[in-house]
Amino acid sequence: MMRDSVIFKIENDIAVLRLCNPPVNALGASVRKALIEAAKAISGADVKAVVLFGYGRCFSAGADISEFGIEPPAGTPTLPETIAAIEDLKVPVVAALHGFAFGGALELAVGAHYRIAAAGTKLGLPEVDIGIIPGAGGTQRLPRLIGMKAAVDMVANGTRIDAARGHDLGLIDEVSETDSFEAAAIAYAMHLVAEGAGPRPTSKREDRLESASEAMALLDEIRTSIAKKAKGRVAPLRALDALAAATGGDFAAGMATERAIFLELRDGTEARAMRHLFKAERAAQKIDDAPTEPPAEIHKAGVVGFGTMGQGIALVLARAGVQVTAVEIDPARLEAGLASLKKGLQDRVDRGRMSPQQMQAELDLINGTTAMSGLAEADLVIEAALENMDVKTDIFRSLDGICKPGAILATNTSSLDLDTIAAATTRPDNVAGAHFFAPAQVMKLLEIVRGSATSGATAAALMALAKRIGKVGVVVGNAFGFVGNRMYHRYTWQAYFLLQEGALPSDVDAAMQDFGFPLGCLAVGDISGLDVAWQVRKAQRAAGDVDPDAPYPVVADRICEKGWFGRKTGRGWYSYADGKPAADAEVAALIEAVSAELGIERRAISADEIRERCLFALINEGARLLGTGIAVRPGDIDVVWRYGYGFPLWRGGPMFMADEIGMQDVLATLQRLEAAYGPAFTPAPLIAARAAAGKTTLVD
Ligand code: 3HC
């Protein structure tokens, strides 16, 4: 059945327009057309005011992102044209905002003559978060309403504000606290009519805008800090250029400048990469075989093992209001865990990061016990014990006997076989991996690992939990290292080979930081402890996951044999005499000695070679994971890399990059690298098959 994109009626001389495009009233082509038609109808009608609402949960989330990159049907009005038609109306137009008004929706509201918002409504121009700038007058009208200083923060930083702050800034005229917001908005419009208030086009306002010289000085001053925060992204800086165009006093010229920048960015790599991640993050939440009923909410959870990871998981759960029972069989370890948890929270309080009340509220939700029987009523248990299969199977066997039917039993293992763990229970369908990344309170990624028996319901319940605790969940299959760490190992192995061939740690890390990673993988290794990866390599060998004939990163073993495990031992790939990483002559000597031991003549290695080898190692392993179904979608891999490993946002992720390069070129590069550096680069069958079929992307 066709529905109206804008519901339009006239009652008591007030025209009421309702944006209606579920789920978020995006301002797609049909909405824009309907708004233009409504504006025409209003011009010819006897109405005294117009009120513009959003239907359902919000006013609107802005322009329809899914239309970007697709040519609209001929004659479809653009958003700037639509907003101009609303602004040109000869009676007062009130935008009535609830839920949220983001991007083009806030631009529409700013194009109206007056704004009323329900208390708590969120307002923002988050375009820079998807690699663009506002393209429908946001950079031109907003400074005219709230001044350049406040506008810069919203436009270039994408800062969201609430209705109360909007009111303080002059963006919102009235904040409504009542339960009947609609009635309040209509009453506000009638009040304006009774007062004789006329149209008040923002484009004609000059009273809040600083003088051109003041505004330009402000923009110049802020440019350096915006550039620093942008970390390689272009959009925030281009937003400043568009804002600068608002200072000349010529609205039409400013609009033209804004639109030109918007269109240039919209079709560029940064915006496509960031849109890709926006969509991928949402697609990753969809689980094909999830039951249609939403999962039951988790009220009580257990955490088994109360070391650093267990404490982090307990905190994350408590912060979302889940009651947590932490189990540690050894009373001394339990006490130590509780004390360290409390100390961590107290530090936050001392640094002003949380209130003493918040700390107490979180502590009240976490209780510790040495008895597994304390988990009988838990809806979910997450095991975060020692990374040892016998320990884990023992725990799961006893959980199976204790926990109520239907409880989800999850393991935080980062490397062990989930099916073996699940087989220790009589309910493998309820067993899954919940792989948090350290520190669990900070890192946003949660890999939800499905074994061969994990049900869709179990995966869906963990996905819902991820959202509730502020994590981004990605479902992955059961393979050594799952998706993230498995790929990470390929990347670090290339880094080790590069060291053996001639690079030094700072060469490798600087090349990857230039690419956009916050840290290079060798500096990260020093933080997490080189012994951890050493154990993983041993486990990989034991699991038969390492080809004995393929090159092996001897240098990584040699440094561990010295006991140089990274920061915690004062030396790893770098030394840490004053706490900061510094190049270390003894490490360089060790690396050179390994090259000699392997008979490798060291050579100068360029940053481009470092980046190419590390990235193609990632791309190739990602394609293998896709080909074997361990990763469901290419976008899932990119989300894992964004939130688990800090892959630069504006580059989209390794799989996005592979598609951008195109399969033929990816294949040719891998073949060249394979000839030079061996089987790590043997093209993944998926890449070879797609290239042979003449496809440019990893999937259709
Ligand atoms: N266009 C198209 N679809 C959108 C959308 C948009 N602007 N915003 C959200 N959606 C879709 C999502 O893709 C999702 O679809 P799905 O159900 O098929 O997966 C659905 O709406 C619900 O979104 P979320 O799952 O994200 O719901 P939440 O409640 O968690 O979040 C939100 C809602 C805060 C609005 C969040 O979706 C968001 O931040 N959206 C993007 C807002 C934005 O960037 N607006 C600017 C758009 S660009 C623009 O306006 C250009 C203009 O200047 C010309």
Side-chain angles (χ1 to χ4, degrees), residues 526 530 559 562-577 582-588 590:
D526 275 2
L530 301 181
I559 196 164
K562 285 261 191 197
W564 298 345
F565 293 157
R567 279 180 188 263
K568 61 186 173 191
T569 57
R571 183 187 277 151
W573 296 115
Y574 302 90
S575 57
Y576 296 88
D584 185 286
E586 288 189 57
V587 173
L590 177 137

Short mmCIF file of all heavy atoms in Angstrom, two decimals, residues 526 530 559 562-577 582-588 590:
data_model
loop_
_atom_site.label_atom_id
_atom_site.label_comp_id
_atom_site.label_asym_id
_atom_site.label_seq_id
_atom_site.Cartn_x
_atom_site.Cartn_y
_atom_site.Cartn_z
N ASP A 526 54.05 -4.18 22.43
CA ASP A 526 54.74 -3.84 23.69
C ASP A 526 53.73 -3.54 24.80
O ASP A 526 54.00 -3.79 25.97
CB ASP A 526 55.64 -2.61 23.49
CG ASP A 526 57.02 -2.99 22.94
OD1 ASP A 526 57.25 -4.18 22.69
OD2 ASP A 526 57.84 -2.07 22.77
N LEU A 530 54.56 -8.96 24.69
CA LEU A 530 55.00 -9.80 23.56
C LEU A 530 54.88 -11.28 23.90
O LEU A 530 54.76 -12.12 23.02
CB LEU A 530 56.44 -9.45 23.18
CG LEU A 530 56.66 -7.99 22.77
CD1 LEU A 530 58.12 -7.76 22.38
CD2 LEU A 530 55.76 -7.60 21.61
N ILE A 559 63.19 -12.27 20.73
CA ILE A 559 63.05 -11.15 21.69
C ILE A 559 62.38 -11.65 22.97
O ILE A 559 62.73 -11.24 24.08
CB ILE A 559 62.30 -9.94 21.06
CG1 ILE A 559 62.52 -8.69 21.90
CG2 ILE A 559 60.82 -10.18 20.88
CD1 ILE A 559 62.16 -7.39 21.21
N LYS A 562 64.68 -13.49 25.31
CA LYS A 562 65.49 -12.57 26.13
C LYS A 562 64.72 -12.09 27.35
O LYS A 562 65.26 -11.38 28.20
CB LYS A 562 65.86 -11.33 25.30
CG LYS A 562 66.92 -11.56 24.27
CD LYS A 562 68.23 -11.08 24.87
CE LYS A 562 69.32 -11.01 23.81
NZ LYS A 562 70.62 -10.94 24.44
N GLY A 563 63.40 -12.36 27.36
CA GLY A 563 62.57 -11.84 28.46
C GLY A 563 62.16 -10.40 28.25
O GLY A 563 61.70 -9.72 29.16
N TRP A 564 62.30 -9.91 27.00
CA TRP A 564 61.90 -8.53 26.69
C TRP A 564 60.46 -8.58 26.19
O TRP A 564 60.20 -8.75 25.00
CB TRP A 564 62.82 -7.93 25.62
CG TRP A 564 64.26 -7.83 26.05
CD1 TRP A 564 64.75 -7.96 27.33
CD2 TRP A 564 65.40 -7.60 25.21
NE1 TRP A 564 66.10 -7.81 27.34
CE2 TRP A 564 66.54 -7.58 26.05
CE3 TRP A 564 65.57 -7.38 23.84
CZ2 TRP A 564 67.82 -7.38 25.55
CZ3 TRP A 564 66.84 -7.18 23.35
CH2 TRP A 564 67.95 -7.18 24.20
N PHE A 565 59.52 -8.42 27.10
CA PHE A 565 58.10 -8.62 26.77
C PHE A 565 57.35 -7.32 26.49
O PHE A 565 56.15 -7.32 26.32
CB PHE A 565 57.40 -9.37 27.91
CG PHE A 565 57.86 -10.79 28.10
CD1 PHE A 565 57.70 -11.43 29.33
CD2 PHE A 565 58.43 -11.50 27.06
CE1 PHE A 565 58.11 -12.74 29.50
CE2 PHE A 565 58.86 -12.82 27.22
CZ PHE A 565 58.70 -13.44 28.44
N GLY A 566 58.05 -6.18 26.50
CA GLY A 566 57.34 -4.92 26.25
C GLY A 566 57.38 -4.02 27.47
O GLY A 566 58.28 -4.14 28.31
N ARG A 567 56.39 -3.16 27.57
CA ARG A 567 56.38 -2.14 28.64
C ARG A 567 56.58 -2.75 30.02
O ARG A 567 57.29 -2.20 30.85
CB ARG A 567 55.04 -1.40 28.64
CG ARG A 567 54.99 -0.31 27.60
CD ARG A 567 53.65 0.39 27.62
NE ARG A 567 53.55 1.30 26.50
CZ ARG A 567 53.80 2.60 26.57
NH1 ARG A 567 54.15 3.14 27.72
NH2 ARG A 567 53.71 3.35 25.50
N LYS A 568 55.91 -3.90 30.25
CA LYS A 568 55.93 -4.43 31.63
C LYS A 568 57.33 -4.88 32.04
O LYS A 568 57.61 -4.98 33.25
CB LYS A 568 54.91 -5.56 31.78
CG LYS A 568 55.15 -6.76 30.88
CD LYS A 568 53.99 -7.75 31.01
CE LYS A 568 54.14 -8.86 29.98
NZ LYS A 568 52.96 -9.70 29.88
N THR A 569 58.21 -5.15 31.08
CA THR A 569 59.58 -5.53 31.45
C THR A 569 60.57 -4.39 31.15
O THR A 569 61.78 -4.58 31.24
CB THR A 569 60.03 -6.79 30.68
OG1 THR A 569 59.92 -6.53 29.28
CG2 THR A 569 59.21 -8.01 31.04
N GLY A 570 60.03 -3.23 30.77
CA GLY A 570 60.89 -2.07 30.51
C GLY A 570 61.51 -2.08 29.13
O GLY A 570 62.12 -1.11 28.70
N ARG A 571 61.37 -3.19 28.42
CA ARG A 571 61.92 -3.26 27.07
C ARG A 571 61.16 -4.30 26.25
O ARG A 571 60.85 -5.38 26.75
CB ARG A 571 63.39 -3.64 27.11
CG ARG A 571 64.03 -3.67 25.74
CD ARG A 571 65.43 -4.22 25.78
NE ARG A 571 66.42 -3.24 26.13
CZ ARG A 571 67.56 -3.55 26.76
NH1 ARG A 571 67.80 -4.78 27.14
NH2 ARG A 571 68.45 -2.62 27.04
N GLY A 572 60.86 -3.91 25.02
CA GLY A 572 60.26 -4.84 24.06
C GLY A 572 60.85 -4.44 22.73
O GLY A 572 62.07 -4.39 22.58
N TRP A 573 60.00 -4.06 21.77
CA TRP A 573 60.53 -3.53 20.50
C TRP A 573 61.15 -2.15 20.73
O TRP A 573 61.93 -1.66 19.94
CB TRP A 573 59.44 -3.47 19.44
CG TRP A 573 58.91 -4.84 19.10
CD1 TRP A 573 57.66 -5.31 19.32
CD2 TRP A 573 59.64 -5.92 18.50
NE1 TRP A 573 57.56 -6.62 18.90
CE2 TRP A 573 58.76 -7.01 18.39
CE3 TRP A 573 60.96 -6.07 18.05
CZ2 TRP A 573 59.15 -8.24 17.85
CZ3 TRP A 573 61.34 -7.29 17.50
CH2 TRP A 573 60.44 -8.36 17.41
N TYR A 574 60.70 -1.53 21.81
CA TYR A 574 61.27 -0.24 22.22
C TYR A 574 61.71 -0.38 23.67
O TYR A 574 61.30 -1.32 24.35
CB TYR A 574 60.21 0.88 22.12
CG TYR A 574 59.64 1.02 20.73
CD1 TYR A 574 58.49 0.30 20.34
CD2 TYR A 574 60.23 1.87 19.80
CE1 TYR A 574 57.97 0.42 19.06
CE2 TYR A 574 59.71 2.00 18.51
CZ TYR A 574 58.57 1.27 18.15
OH TYR A 574 58.07 1.40 16.88
N SER A 575 62.50 0.60 24.18
CA SER A 575 62.77 0.58 25.62
C SER A 575 61.99 1.73 26.26
O SER A 575 61.61 2.69 25.59
CB SER A 575 64.26 0.68 25.90
OG SER A 575 64.78 1.84 25.31
N TYR A 576 61.76 1.60 27.56
CA TYR A 576 60.82 2.50 28.24
C TYR A 576 61.45 3.10 29.49
O TYR A 576 60.83 3.16 30.54
CB TYR A 576 59.54 1.72 28.60
CG TYR A 576 58.81 1.25 27.36
CD1 TYR A 576 59.13 0.02 26.78
CD2 TYR A 576 57.86 2.05 26.73
CE1 TYR A 576 58.50 -0.40 25.61
CE2 TYR A 576 57.23 1.65 25.57
CZ TYR A 576 57.57 0.42 25.01
OH TYR A 576 56.95 0.01 23.86
N ALA A 577 62.69 3.57 29.35
CA ALA A 577 63.39 4.09 30.51
C ALA A 577 62.60 5.21 31.18
O ALA A 577 62.44 5.23 32.40
CB ALA A 577 64.77 4.59 30.10
N ALA A 582 61.21 4.35 23.19
CA ALA A 582 62.39 4.93 22.54
C ALA A 582 63.12 3.81 21.80
O ALA A 582 63.11 2.65 22.24
CB ALA A 582 63.31 5.54 23.59
N ALA A 583 63.75 4.18 20.66
CA ALA A 583 64.52 3.18 19.90
C ALA A 583 65.62 2.63 20.81
O ALA A 583 66.19 3.36 21.62
CB ALA A 583 65.12 3.85 18.67
N ASP A 584 65.89 1.34 20.68
CA ASP A 584 66.82 0.70 21.60
C ASP A 584 67.92 0.00 20.79
O ASP A 584 67.63 -0.84 19.93
CB ASP A 584 66.03 -0.32 22.44
CG ASP A 584 66.90 -0.95 23.50
OD1 ASP A 584 67.75 -1.80 23.15
OD2 ASP A 584 66.72 -0.60 24.68
N ALA A 585 69.18 0.35 21.09
CA ALA A 585 70.30 -0.17 20.31
C ALA A 585 70.43 -1.69 20.48
O ALA A 585 70.75 -2.41 19.52
CB ALA A 585 71.59 0.51 20.74
N GLU A 586 70.14 -2.18 21.68
CA GLU A 586 70.27 -3.64 21.89
C GLU A 586 69.21 -4.41 21.11
O GLU A 586 69.45 -5.52 20.63
CB GLU A 586 70.18 -3.95 23.38
CG GLU A 586 71.43 -3.52 24.13
CD GLU A 586 71.41 -4.03 25.57
OE1 GLU A 586 71.31 -5.25 25.77
OE2 GLU A 586 71.48 -3.19 26.47
N VAL A 587 68.03 -3.81 21.01
CA VAL A 587 66.96 -4.46 20.22
C VAL A 587 67.38 -4.48 18.75
O VAL A 587 67.24 -5.50 18.06
CB VAL A 587 65.61 -3.74 20.42
CG1 VAL A 587 64.55 -4.30 19.47
CG2 VAL A 587 65.15 -3.85 21.87
N ALA A 588 67.92 -3.33 18.28
CA ALA A 588 68.38 -3.27 16.89
C ALA A 588 69.45 -4.34 16.66
O ALA A 588 69.43 -5.04 15.62
CB ALA A 588 68.93 -1.88 16.58
N LEU A 590 69.81 -7.15 18.27
CA LEU A 590 69.14 -8.47 18.28
C LEU A 590 68.49 -8.74 16.91
O LEU A 590 68.62 -9.83 16.34
CB LEU A 590 68.09 -8.51 19.38
CG LEU A 590 67.26 -9.79 19.48
CD1 LEU A 590 67.10 -10.22 20.93
CD2 LEU A 590 65.88 -9.66 18.86
#
